[in-house]
Amino acid sequence: MMVFGLIALIAGAASALMFASMASGAPISLVLVYLAPLPLMLAAIAWGPLCGAIAGLVATLLIATALSPPLALGYGLAFALPAWWLGHLAMLGRPAADGVADSDAAPLQVEWYPLGRILLWIAALATLLTAGSLFSLGSDAPAISEAMRRGFAKVLSLVSETTVTESDPVVGLMVAVIPVLVAASQMATLTLNLWLAAKVAAVSGRLHRPWPDLSGTSLPPMTLVALCVALAFSFFGGMTGLLAVVVTTVLMMAYALIGLAVLHTITRDLANRAFWLAATYVIILMFSVSLVLLTGLGLADAVFGFRERFLRNRQPPPLPIS
């Protein structure tokens, strides 16, 4: 029990320190803030959701003491709560319908929570976090747009050392793009932190489930319907259109991740598979617009079932000649 409490204390303190590093203003603090949920997710995955919850509570109290209670509240809602919930879902399982446990040699089969549904939860959390960030600027779309215009005009004026007005086209472009960027960033951050936490737990031997086949991840069929509805509503004005843009963005990011899974599947027989996959990741990091192609690949797989066809038509390896 002492080890359990110590782990929770260390994880909470590490996350709080990473979050509080933003006060230093150092460039590395941006990376640390993005990785602040990682210790909490690791605690929840490796030592259970109770450990993750205690770690999140410890981090929130430390931030409230060291910085401010409002900042601690924001941390708790935006970092601790999503980290605990995703860590809980990653280890959520139930006995399979055909599972048997007749002896120690035949352990009970466990059906783990599907990766596609975890991805949908990440999309839902990213939507809520982005919406919360927007509503912190105003209660309606005009107020939010005006607040962003004022903020971006001030920032551009400081950077360029010239007066930039709120009606500047660059400011207008940033106001239009920033909800998409924030939603995509939230989606990528939560996904990356969860993957890193699970990988660290697996390497340390604390992952109490088999490592899942990430290349087989698929979203529920109704996700495509939800994307089409959100895309249609994104052409509306006001808060309806703004929130629809956020939902469209996170769902397209989800399908971009499915596109990566498709690539990992259909390149299994390539001789230089590692090279092509590494080149793909480099291109994604250098040119984020390439995510559009991955999204298209993920959507095409949802409609036409590329992975199923590939695996069905895949030839088995030749038998060794004796």
Side-chain angles (χ1 to χ4, degrees), residues 148-168 170-171 174:
M148 287 195 291
R149 284 184 178 275
R150 287 196 303 268
F152 290 135
K154 291 180 180 179
V155 171
L156 291 176
S157 297
L158 292 174
V159 172
S160 62
E161 297 182 353
T162 58
T163 302
V164 178
T165 63
E166 297 177 12
S167 59
D168 191 282
V170 177
V171 174
M174 295 178 69

Side-chain angles (χ1 to χ4, degrees), residues 93-101 107-112:
R94 64 182 181 184
D98 57 347
V100 293
L108 182 67
Q109 298 294 321
V110 178
E111 180 184 359
W112 298 100

Side-chain angles (χ1 to χ4, degrees), residues 34-100:
Y34 277 125
L35 293 177
L38 179 58
L40 306 182
M41 289 184 180
L42 179 58
I45 290 174
W47 284 273
L50 179 59
C51 185
I54 295 175
L57 180 60
V58 168
T60 303
L61 293 176
L62 289 176
I63 293 172
T65 303
L67 298 177
S68 67
L71 200 58
L73 178 61
Y75 167 86
L77 295 176
F79 288 81
L81 191 58
W84 165 77
W85 181 243
L86 292 177
H88 165 67
L89 291 179
M91 300 305 298
L92 188 61
R94 64 182 181 184
D98 57 347
V100 293

Side-chain angles (χ1 to χ4, degrees), residues 10 45 47 59 96 124 133 140 148 175 263 278 319-320:
I10 293 174
I45 290 174
W47 284 273
S133 300
D140 53 25
M148 287 195 291
V175 169
L263 278 181
L319 295 175

Side-chain angles (χ1 to χ4, degrees), residues 219-233 247-248 251 255 299 302-303:
L219 294 169
M222 288 302 295
T223 307
L224 189 58
V225 177
L227 174 59
C228 293
V229 172
L231 185 60
F233 276 98
V247 175
T248 301
L251 290 181
Y255 276 108
L299 290 171
V303 175

